[in-house]
Every structure is written in structure tokens, then in C-alpha cells.
Amino acid sequence: MPTSIMTIKSKLDSHLGDSLTVVARAGRKKVTKRRGILKNTFPAVFVVDLDQDSNNFEHVSYSYTDLLTKNITLKFDDAVQ
């Protein structure tokens, strides 16, 4: 499991352009799942272009700390992150 933000960023850099599913906690007993493609990584956040068939907006950004604190999980089509 990645233990630092820089480790998480470098792992995501290797998956740029890959399809993934983002599973995010949205509150008590609520979970949202979104499909998309990992588009960009920046120093503090990463951007996912969402599948337009099932979402009302084009992209969403998440912080690396969301992954570190397990508020979100990423599931790539070829492997689990």
C-alpha cells in the first residue's frame, strides 16, 4: 500500500490514459461509483475524465490525500490500485 503522496502520484503517473472506476464514500452508507479515464496528475490533485453516458459532468478531480486516507479507491481495468 502506498504510504506517501509522492508514491501515490508516481503510481498514478504510470496509469495515465487508463480506464478506471472511482469508488467514493459520499456519507453514511452512501457510495458513488464513477467510470472514466485518468487524464492528468498535478502536484496536489489528479483529474478523471468521466464517461458521459452515466455522468452529468465531464471531469472530476480528487486529492492524493483522498487515496491516502481511503476516502476513495481506484480500480483500474487491468489491476486494483
Side-chain angles (χ1 to χ4, degrees):
M1 171 181 7
T3 57
S4 74
I5 291 175
M6 291 307 295
T7 305
I8 293 170
K9 183 180 181 320
S10 66
K11 285 190 175 229
L12 289 179
D13 283 339
S14 68
H15 285 286
L16 283 174
D18 290 351
S19 297
L20 62 106
T21 301
V22 179
V23 180
R25 288 193 222 152
R28 291 180 67 151
K29 299 181 183 181
K30 289 185 180 179
V31 175
T32 60
K33 291 183 180 181
R34 296 184 172 128
R35 296 246 341 119
I37 297 172
L38 181 61
K39 190 65 173 178
N40 287 320
T41 58
F42 297 101
V45 297
F46 60 95
V47 177
V48 177
D49 278 348
L50 297 175
D51 181 17
Q52 292 302 301
D53 294 336
S54 59
N55 294 291
N56 293 335
F57 36 93
E58 293 181 23
H59 20 262
V60 66
S61 64
Y62 294 101
S63 166
Y64 300 117
T65 56
D66 290 332
L67 283 171
L68 193 62
T69 59
K70 299 183 181 176
N71 286 331
I72 65 169
T73 57
L74 302 180
K75 297 179 183 175
F76 289 94
D77 288 348
D78 54 52
V80 175
Q81 178 73 19

